[in-house]
Amino acid sequence: MGPDVPLLNEYKQEFFWKRFPQTVLGGPRFKLGYCAPPYVYVNQAVLFLTPWLFGGIGTLLSQLQLLQELHAAVLSGMLMCGAAAGVQSLALYAARRSGTVERLGASNILVDEEEVEFTHCVSTETVRFIAPGKRFGLNVVLHTLLAGMLCGFGTWYVFLGRLTALYGSIGVSLVVFVLSWVTLCIAEYSLIVNTATETATFQAQDTYEITPLTRPLYIFIFIAVDLADRFSDTVPELQLASQVLHVLFLFLPLLWAFGILPPLDALLLWGMEQTLVFGLGGSPMSSNLRLLLMFGISAGVAVCNYFIPSTLGVVLFSTAMGFLLSLDLSQVGTLCRGSRSAFRGRELLRGGLEVLLYLSLLLVALAEAGVLHHFIGSAQSHSLTAGPQAAVSYLLLILFCLSWALREIQGAYVFGGVFLNPLYPKGMSNMQMFKQRNRGLYIAAAIRRVLLYLVSPFAMIAFLAMDKSLQLLHTVSLSVGFARAFRVGWQSSEDALHQMVVVILVRLAAGNSVLPGWDDLGTGVQLLLVGLLIDRVTQFLAKLKFTLTVLVTSWTEKKQRRQSAGTLLALNASLCPLVLAMVTLSALLSAPLLPLFTLPIFLVGFPRPQRSWPGPVGTACPCPDSVFYQQMSGSLASALRTAFARGSLAPGSHFLGRFQDRMVWIMILERGYGYCTVNIKGLELQETSCHTVEARRVDEVFEAAFERPERLGFTQGINLHWGNALTPCAALAVRVYSDARNVLSGIIDSHDNLRKLQDDFMKALIWLLLRYCVQKHKGFLWSSEEVSVVGGMKSQSSQLAQTTSNQPPEAVMVESNVSSLRFRQDSSSLTSFGDWSDEDDLFGPQPARRTVALVTAEAQSGHTTLQMGASLPGSVEMDSLFENMALSALQPLQPLGLGIGMPAVDKGHNPEVFRERSGSLPHLNLSCPLSEVFNLPKGWRTAPLLPSRLLSLRPLFPEDWFRFILERFGPAVQGATSEDMTKALKEDEALKELHIHVALSCLISLGAESTFTSPSYVYRLYCGDVPWTEGLEWLSSSKELYQLTLQAFRFSFKLLFDQASLGPMESPEELFSTLEEYERDWYIGLVTEKGWHDGVLQEKPFLFSLGHDLTMGTYTGRVLTLQEQLVQVGRLNGEGVRGQWANLSWELLYATNDDEERYSIQAHPFMLRNLTVQAADPPLGYPIYSSAPLHFPCL
């Protein structure tokens, strides 16, 4: 797509310009897009101005001194309450008269597009159009009462006498009075008549009708400040705040229209998170419930500090609670439950050691804080540069410098990602060499960990315990400040050390002089302000970098250069102070900087929690590829644990990992003392064009950091991708599957290889049959031979579940594809013509037709119920197995009169076949007692095949291989078996004849009695789609034998693949060990099978699959190998991510711009725009995997 793709298509543009005026005015719809009678607009205007009318009555009566101000305000509120009740009654009456089944107030995105036929000014249609009504009866009452209160307090808020007293000018008061009533009318209309869609939308759906309360809430906040000023003594600060807020009150409609003020839910969560992090020393939490609980407990600690009379008690209580709240207490219950159930041995010991370590740290911290405060704190000199606290101050300075330097050398870049780190290992090709070169950094990381997590917290506690401002503790600010200070030293040791160093440097710079105002705050409040300042400055710099990236790349990147790029650049240059003001305001509010449509048009988004999304963590749009991210998430979390402990991942909130075609998005949810909580998302593997462009740039950025030459010049040592949103940090060793795909041209179509496939199949089948007997003897298997799949009426899913649930992990059973013959008959099988139906028949159900094939099959088997077949051959429905196969690859169908291409056999009159099917089997005379172990179930000997046919194929049975396997399996059954017993076992002719009969019957049933000549036929057999053969019904009736046969064929194809690549097997021992390896370490099947999914999650060392590429007309082999690989991880500009997500939320939830080719989703190599959109939470984003919050220790 070109850079000038429309930002909004014509339909969405018309929709937007109808919705936006409605948002500005609070709900009135004056632009409809179609002709409407004038009374529609008049009615809305009257309702809009009704609060002003009632407020004007109260104001007039007050100005004429007929009523006091309070009584006049009450009168206005009562009038508005009555009017609101009347409007809601009309809405309810209209809803009942219309007889509609729609719920009142139900959200309808097409409501702005409906063309209503109006009959008269108070008709049902008119009332429902103007005032849709509320969804819940409780809201009808609540909103009506709030409307009256809002009008009453609003009238009191903007009385002319009050405004004149504030500003001392009648002219200014009149202007403020008029414009203030515009604000009040907008809020009243959205509350009681019709709620407009807000630009500041946090939730995708307003289930509980919270949106109408948003605008009145902000007005009540303004009124609360004015009331505090009215009823308090003369406080200059309150009077100044009231004057400023009365002016700001006039601009509330603009703030609402541009979406700067958050909705109630976002405001509540953002306020609690900001207070918890900066006011109480906590961390952003991984869920709303955890945030609520932690905020309540932390606030309780600050309140307790205020009421504890002794300063020593405050120090001990703050130290203990600060340490405990900085731990991940939610995992204590998990650890206790695990110790009773799953945890044993080493895990239990590790958990006990952790508890013992934390308990020891707590006791030492309490002892240190109590002793130092009791003996030194009260006698501490007022000098800021001498005494014990000064010595601790210098120690903290040294600790900060050392920890910063040791952390800086752990990453690929130093000094903010500008210069390459010469100490970081070069080259990522060899894992062992990388670890060896990294050994020196491991030692430095261990030293840093001791300094940061064991030495620094105790040094900071010592500094705080000896602080003289503790003597003035019993004020609100100092109680909150010290509660935060004692906690943040544990919660975020590195940040706390940085803040404390800044406070110390200010004291050292001031010397013995007193800084007025600053010293009066106390150390706790000073640390709070410094922490807030550092965070806001960091946000400002990150937002400024994001702003410059958007501005510069809008011109330098040709594919991003729109026709309006020059105009926008000139506009931003001329309004540079305004742009900087936007960046500053968004940093002060900790709100995202929103680039409208990701163009250099910057707005301040509404403040929201750091997670950016309201829903629970872990929602995704899963697909078959999701299993790869699910498998690697555990190993990646373990690697992240080490990386965070080492400090190789610089402080940040969003990280991006890259390995082969996999892209991992890592979001930090929560951090504390010795733990971290992350969310891991997996992005799609089927790369689109936009995804590919950005993935290629990601690879270039990582290659510049990790695949650099040994000796670096000056230009090579600079990060040339510094302006990119991604800054490489480290390479992590993670156990992942490497994916190798090979084209099998020259292997699967080689006649020499295909001729050998038959012999390999017989050997693999014999090995599996004897292996089955050994496992059954040892109790690994349970026979379910009597369960008939063909005759039963079980569903496909229940049959699959029974196949997997009855099988222990020691036994490997191959699950056939959903399209295999066991669950449906192929279009070329005889019984597929027997019973078919079309549920979508336009003319209703048709009576079952008894075809010739059905009558013949019933006569042969004696069954009255056949398996449910698929559609008739030639019908529109195609089986899922063949939707990826060329039609030319399928064998042609034969006319019905030719018996589906098979020779006609008169089975009903053949005495031998009849004897076999009647169940009168000959008795086996096994000569060796050990042979009974290798006996096969009776049902496996009932194949309806002529003995003469089996006799003709007898040379295909590898007798030497059979005896060799018996020799190897014999000791496995009886332990130390004597040579005579083994010899007797090998010479048991009855046992050999039994296995010959079963193996050759399976061979014939698969249609493999002749040499394979067609790759398409091999592919069909591998997929479990067996064409009709004489013994197929018998084979499919035995679930275990069918699976063993299919598994044997897949093993034989894997043998063909390996021998074509590595050379032929040189001895039976090598073949035997290869088959054992296949069963133990491999899953050989199809990608679409459940076994493939389970094999990846169980971390099978190898997986193999055969596929068919329709576009190239070739067959492909796919091999997954589990091994430790280096996953490259980089830090993303968190403010850039939040800004793009804020635009995504606005664009989809408000502008409803869901065009898949919209400009804001196109590839951007610097901003990584397409990847960022993918990583958003559904329904706005579409990650294919998202983990639940992963808690892991990182001490």
Side-chain angles (χ1 to χ4, degrees):
M1 300 293 292
D4 287 308
V5 60
L7 302 176
L8 286 171
N9 56 40
E10 294 182 0
Y11 170 75
K12 294 296 183 182
Q13 288 181 19
E14 182 182 0
F15 175 80
F16 174 79
W17 288 116
K18 286 190 295 184
R19 170 172 279 190
F20 187 69
Q22 182 184 357
T23 301
V24 172
L25 296 176
R29 286 181 276 183
F30 294 128
K31 184 176 183 180
L32 303 180
Y34 56 90
C35 294
Y39 56 76
V40 174
Y41 304 101
V42 172
N43 287 349
Q44 293 184 86
V46 169
L47 289 175
F48 182 81
L49 297 175
T50 295
W52 200 345
L53 173 64
F54 295 149
I57 293 174
T59 303
L60 181 61
L61 293 175
S62 174
Q63 290 296 114
L64 296 177
Q65 296 183 353
L66 297 177
L67 288 175
Q68 297 180 0
E69 288 187 352
L70 180 60
H71 296 163
V74 171
L75 176 63
S76 299
M78 293 177 63
L79 291 174
M80 187 64 217
C81 188
V87 171
Q88 292 303 311
S89 300
L90 277 176
L92 185 61
Y93 173 76
R96 291 179 177 176
R97 283 290 302 272
S98 64
T100 180
V101 296
E102 294 181 3
R103 297 192 337 183
L104 282 177
S107 177
N108 186 359
I109 62 173
L110 300 178
V111 69
D112 293 330
E113 303 304 304
E114 296 176 351
E115 186 169 342
V116 182
E117 295 183 1
F118 302 99
T119 55
H120 55 83
C121 62
V122 290
S123 65
T124 301
E125 296 80 7
T126 306
V127 173
R128 294 203 64 205
F129 175 80
I130 296 175
K134 304 297 180 182
R135 190 180 310 171
F136 304 105
L138 178 63
N139 285 337
V140 173
V141 178
L142 177 63
H143 293 182
T144 300
L145 294 177
L146 284 178
M149 293 175 60
L150 182 63
C151 184
F153 279 107
T155 303
W156 201 12
Y157 184 70
V158 296
F159 271 137
L160 285 174
R162 172 62 177 168
L163 296 177
T164 304
L166 283 175
Y167 300 105
S169 171
I170 298 178
V172 174
S173 300
L174 285 174
V175 173
V176 174
F177 175 81
V178 172
L179 296 180
S180 296
W181 270 109
V182 173
T183 301
L184 287 169
C185 289
I186 290 174
E188 289 279 11
Y189 197 97
S190 66
L191 176 64
I192 205 65
V193 183
N194 185 23
T195 304
T197 303
E198 298 286 358
T199 51
T201 303
F202 190 53
Q203 301 276 359
Q205 293 182 344
D206 185 21
T207 307
Y208 301 105
E209 294 181 313
I210 298 177
T211 304
L213 303 175
T214 300
R215 301 191 182 195
L217 172 71
Y218 287 105
I219 291 181
F220 278 124
I221 293 175
F222 281 67
I223 293 174
V225 176
D226 183 68
L227 291 178
D229 182 35
R230 284 173 182 258
F231 294 103
S232 64
D233 296 333
T234 304
V235 180
E237 292 80 4
L238 273 178
Q239 187 174 6
L240 178 61
S242 183
Q243 291 175 344
V244 173
L245 289 180
H246 271 82
V247 176
L248 186 60
F249 191 81
L250 313 180
F251 296 94
L252 278 180
L254 292 180
L255 298 179
W256 289 327
F258 287 104
I260 298 177
L261 298 179
L264 294 186
D265 48 357
L267 176 65
L268 179 64
L269 295 174
W270 171 80
M272 287 195 299
E273 183 179 271
Q274 293 292 307
T275 305
L276 176 63
V277 174
F278 300 105
L280 301 172
S283 163
M285 306 307 288
S286 57
S287 68
N288 296 338
L289 180 60
R290 287 173 63 90
L291 175 61
L292 182 62
L293 292 176
M294 185 59 71
F295 175 79
I297 297 173
S298 303
V301 172
V303 172
C304 291
N305 276 349
Y306 181 78
F307 289 103
I308 294 176
S310 169
T311 56
L312 179 60
V314 170
V315 170
L316 294 177
F317 180 74
S318 299
T319 302
M321 294 305 298
F323 177 78
L324 292 176
L325 293 179
S326 67
L327 302 177
D328 190 8
L329 298 178
S330 65
Q331 299 304 302
V332 174
T334 304
L335 180 63
C336 294
R337 289 192 299 270
S339 63
R340 293 196 304 266
S341 56
F343 282 75
R344 291 295 184 269
R346 181 178 300 178
E347 294 296 329
L348 181 59
L349 178 62
R350 178 179 175 183
L353 290 177
E354 287 185 2
V355 173
L356 184 61
L357 172 63
Y358 291 140
L359 184 59
S360 303
L361 291 175
L362 176 59
L363 294 177
V364 173
L366 288 174
E368 179 197 20
V371 170
L372 290 178
H373 179 73
H374 180 72
F375 291 103
I376 301 178
S378 58
Q380 175 67 25
S381 171
H382 288 271
S383 174
L384 300 177
T385 57
Q389 192 180 30
V392 177
S393 301
Y394 290 113
L395 175 61
L396 289 172
L397 289 174
I398 297 173
L399 287 174
F400 173 75
C401 295
L402 288 176
S403 61
W404 177 84
L406 293 175
R407 188 204 71 191
E408 197 74 6
I409 63 174
Q410 296 294 326
Y413 286 99
V414 295
F415 298 111
V418 178
F419 299 102
L420 282 167
N421 180 11
L423 301 179
Y424 200 80
K426 291 102 177 163
M428 299 290 162
S429 57
N430 191 314
M431 172 69 69
Q432 297 300 326
M433 185 175 297
F434 175 80
K435 289 185 175 180
Q436 290 177 1
R437 292 179 176 178
N438 221 1
R439 191 168 299 170
L441 295 181
Y442 289 158
I443 298 174
I447 298 174
R448 173 185 174 273
R449 197 179 313 175
V450 172
L451 295 178
L452 189 61
Y453 294 113
L454 296 180
V455 179
S456 296
F458 292 103
M460 288 185 280
I461 289 176
F463 181 85
L464 294 172
M466 294 185 293
D467 194 77
K468 64 183 180 63
S469 57
L470 281 171
Q471 306 302 323
L472 308 173
L473 186 60
H474 292 87
T475 62
V476 173
S477 59
L478 287 177
S479 298
V480 172
F482 275 103
R484 174 195 179 276
F486 278 104
R487 177 178 178 180
V488 76
W490 299 104
Q491 185 83 44
S492 181
S493 301
E494 194 167 11
D495 293 339
L497 188 61
H498 188 189
Q499 298 162 17
M500 202 162 286
V501 164
V502 172
V503 172
I504 291 171
L505 291 177
V506 171
R507 291 187 178 185
L508 292 177
N512 291 324
S513 59
V514 177
L515 298 177
W518 176 256
D519 290 334
D520 296 335
L521 293 175
T523 304
V525 180
Q526 292 173 2
L527 291 172
L528 189 154
L529 294 178
V530 168
L532 185 63
L533 178 62
I534 291 175
D535 177 80
R536 294 312 191 248
V537 170
T538 304
Q539 284 196 40
F540 175 81
L541 296 177
K543 293 176 192 292
L544 186 61
K545 180 182 177 181
F546 174 60
T547 303
L548 293 176
T549 300
V550 176
L551 281 170
V552 174
T553 56
S554 67
W555 181 263
T556 57
E557 290 289 313
K558 293 183 178 180
K559 293 185 178 181
Q560 308 298 327
R561 189 186 303 167
R562 299 175 61 86
Q563 292 181 353
S564 58
T567 304
L568 290 176
L569 284 176
L571 193 61
N572 277 276
S574 60
L575 299 177
C576 181
L578 181 61
V579 174
L580 288 177
M582 288 288 184
V583 176
T584 304
L585 180 60
S586 65
L588 290 176
L589 295 176
S590 189
L593 182 67
L594 190 153
L596 197 63
F597 298 106
T598 65
L599 291 172
I601 304 173
F602 300 102
L603 300 174
V604 178
F606 65 87
R608 64 199 80 188
Q610 186 175 338
R611 288 187 289 118
S612 296
W613 307 112
V617 174
T619 55
C621 305
C623 71
D625 291 330
S626 305
V627 66
F628 296 108
Y629 291 111
Q630 187 177 354
Q631 175 272 326
M632 71 179 296
S633 61
S635 179
L636 179 59
S638 179
L640 289 172
R641 165 190 175 181
T642 305
F644 282 124
R646 293 178 52 196
S648 55
L649 294 183
S653 56
H654 296 271
F655 296 87
L656 186 69
R658 176 72 166 166
F659 170 71
Q660 288 189 350
D661 58 348
R662 268 153 274 183
M663 203 84 72
V664 182
W665 192 283
I666 304 163
M667 183 166 61
I668 309 301
L669 301 175
E670 184 180 333
R671 295 193 72 170
Y673 184 70
Y675 83 95
C676 186
T677 303
V678 302
N679 168 236
I680 297 176
K681 295 179 181 179
L683 307 187
E684 60 182 358
L685 299 183
Q686 302 296 330
E687 298 180 349
T688 61
S689 57
C690 295
H691 185 107
T692 304
V693 170
E694 294 186 356
R696 189 182 305 118
R697 178 57 61 91
V698 169
D699 292 335
E700 292 175 2
V701 172
F702 280 129
E703 287 175 4
F706 299 116
E707 302 294 337
R708 58 184 187 270
E710 291 289 338
R711 295 184 178 180
L712 297 174
F714 179 75
T715 56
Q716 294 173 327
I718 297 178
N719 182 9
L720 301 179
H721 299 280
W722 182 81
N724 198 285
L726 179 67
T727 302
C729 292
L732 309 181
V734 181
R735 283 177 59 83
V736 293
Y737 279 103
S738 60
D739 195 348
R741 303 175 190 240
N742 304 301
V743 178
L744 301 184
S745 300
I747 297 179
I748 194 173
D749 53 0
S750 171
H751 294 292
D752 295 336
N753 293 334
L754 294 178
R755 277 194 295 269
K756 197 172 185 314
L757 184 61
Q758 186 185 58
D759 180 57
D760 289 339
F761 168 70
M762 289 298 296
K763 291 181 179 179
L765 179 60
I766 294 169
W767 186 87
L768 285 172
L769 289 175
L770 294 175
R771 178 75 172 177
Y772 169 85
C773 296
V774 173
Q775 291 179 336
K776 188 174 182 181
H777 174 73
K778 293 183 176 182
F780 293 160
L781 296 174
W782 291 268
S783 177
S784 55
E785 178 56 30
E786 300 303 324
V787 180
S788 174
V789 179
V790 176
M793 296 299 294
K794 294 183 180 180
S795 65
Q796 298 179 9
S797 59
S798 64
Q799 294 170 9
L800 256 178
Q802 184 178 358
T803 302
T804 56
S805 63
N806 291 341
Q807 191 64 27
E810 290 82 357
V812 178
M813 300 288 278
V814 177
E815 299 173 7
S816 61
N817 193 18
V818 176
S819 58
S820 68
L821 187 75
R822 297 173 56 248
F823 305 125
R824 58 120 200 120
Q825 290 296 316
D826 182 60
S827 58
S828 61
S829 63
L830 178 63
T831 55
S832 65
F833 298 101
D835 188 10
W836 69 284
S837 63
D838 189 354
E839 297 179 356
D840 298 326
D841 194 348
L842 296 176
F843 303 99
Q846 299 292 329
R849 301 187 303 171
R850 295 176 58 80
T851 62
V852 176
L854 177 59
V855 175
T856 305
E858 289 180 356
Q860 291 176 354
S861 62
H863 291 171
T864 59
T865 306
L866 287 178
Q867 58 190 355
M868 299 301 294
S871 302
L872 283 177
S875 64
V876 177
E877 301 171 2
M878 293 295 290
D879 186 77
S880 61
L881 174 64
F882 300 110
E883 60 189 10
N884 293 325
M885 288 186 61
L887 294 180
S888 60
L890 303 179
Q891 294 192 357
L893 299 175
Q894 300 295 334
L896 282 172
L898 297 181
I900 321 301
M902 302 302 296
V905 179
D906 189 3
K907 298 179 183 179
H909 297 84
N910 190 299
E912 295 185 26
V913 173
F914 179 80
R915 178 175 57 82
E916 290 282 342
R917 296 187 63 84
S918 63
S920 56
L921 298 175
H923 180 68
L924 287 176
N925 295 319
L926 301 176
S927 60
C928 178
L930 195 58
S931 299
E932 190 63 35
V933 176
F934 298 97
N935 192 8
L936 298 175
K938 292 182 179 180
W940 295 10
R941 291 183 278 151
T942 59
L945 302 173
L946 292 172
S948 58
R949 191 173 182 186
L950 296 174
L951 184 62
S952 65
L953 297 176
R954 186 185 178 93
L956 297 178
F957 186 81
E959 296 186 11
D960 294 339
W961 171 249
F962 177 73
R963 294 191 182 93
F964 175 78
I965 300 176
L966 285 178
E967 184 179 359
R968 295 293 294 268
F969 280 153
V973 176
Q974 292 293 339
T977 306
S978 63
E979 294 184 3
D980 294 338
M981 183 69 72
T982 304
K983 183 178 180 182
L985 180 65
K986 292 165 57 177
E987 293 177 356
D988 192 338
E989 292 296 325
L991 180 63
K992 183 182 71 173
E993 292 299 326
L994 170 63
H995 282 269
I996 290 176
H997 179 86
V998 174
L1000 293 180
S1001 299
C1002 295
L1003 182 73
I1004 296 173
S1005 300
L1006 282 187
E1009 53 191 304
S1010 59
T1011 305
F1012 297 103
T1013 57
S1014 171
S1016 61
Y1017 190 77
V1018 173
Y1019 178 71
R1020 290 182 64 179
L1021 289 184
Y1022 184 94
C1023 295
D1025 183 66
V1026 186
W1028 188 92
T1029 60
E1030 189 174 350
L1032 183 57
E1033 183 180 350
W1034 161 80
L1035 179 61
S1036 60
S1037 66
S1038 175
K1039 178 175 59 177
E1040 292 173 324
L1041 183 59
Y1042 180 86
Q1043 289 182 342
L1044 289 173
T1045 305
L1046 180 59
Q1047 186 180 13
F1049 186 82
R1050 292 176 173 180
F1051 278 14
S1052 63
F1053 183 83
K1054 185 63 173 60
L1055 285 171
L1056 180 150
F1057 178 80
D1058 290 345
Q1059 292 179 98
S1061 305
L1062 306 175
M1065 301 288 176
E1066 297 180 354
S1067 63
E1069 290 81 1
E1070 184 179 358
L1071 178 59
F1072 187 91
S1073 63
T1074 300
L1075 292 174
E1076 279 191 327
E1077 181 187 354
Y1078 286 171
E1079 187 184 38
R1080 182 182 65 251
D1081 298 335
W1082 287 78
Y1083 177 82
I1084 301 174
L1086 294 174
V1087 176
T1088 55
E1089 292 175 343
K1090 184 178 182 295
W1092 179 277
H1093 178 276
D1094 295 339
V1096 172
L1097 293 183
Q1098 294 167 6
E1099 295 195 341
K1100 277 279 186 180
F1102 306 96
L1103 293 93
F1104 176 82
S1105 173
L1106 178 64
H1108 186 206
D1109 188 350
L1110 286 176
T1111 58
M1112 302 298 295
T1114 57
Y1115 295 92
T1116 58
R1118 184 179 182 184
V1119 179
L1120 297 183
T1121 305
L1122 183 65
Q1123 53 189 343
E1124 197 173 41
Q1125 295 285 347
L1126 291 176
V1127 176
Q1128 298 167 339
V1129 179
R1131 184 185 72 255
L1132 293 163
N1133 185 345
E1135 295 306 319
V1137 172
R1138 294 181 66 202
Q1140 294 182 69
W1141 281 354
N1143 172 74
L1144 177 68
S1145 178
W1146 177 88
E1147 197 171 346
L1148 267 67
L1149 297 181
Y1150 182 78
T1152 66
N1153 186 26
D1154 56 353
D1155 188 356
E1156 294 182 355
E1157 299 298 333
R1158 62 184 183 274
Y1159 173 78
S1160 61
I1161 204 175
Q1162 301 299 313
H1164 195 298
F1166 281 84
M1167 294 167 54
L1168 304 181
R1169 188 166 52 194
N1170 186 265
L1171 296 178
T1172 305
V1173 169
Q1174 285 186 53
D1177 280 7
L1180 305 185
Y1182 46 96
I1184 65 173
Y1185 172 75
S1186 180
S1187 70
L1190 299 175
H1191 305 261
F1192 53 81
C1194 56
L1195 184 59

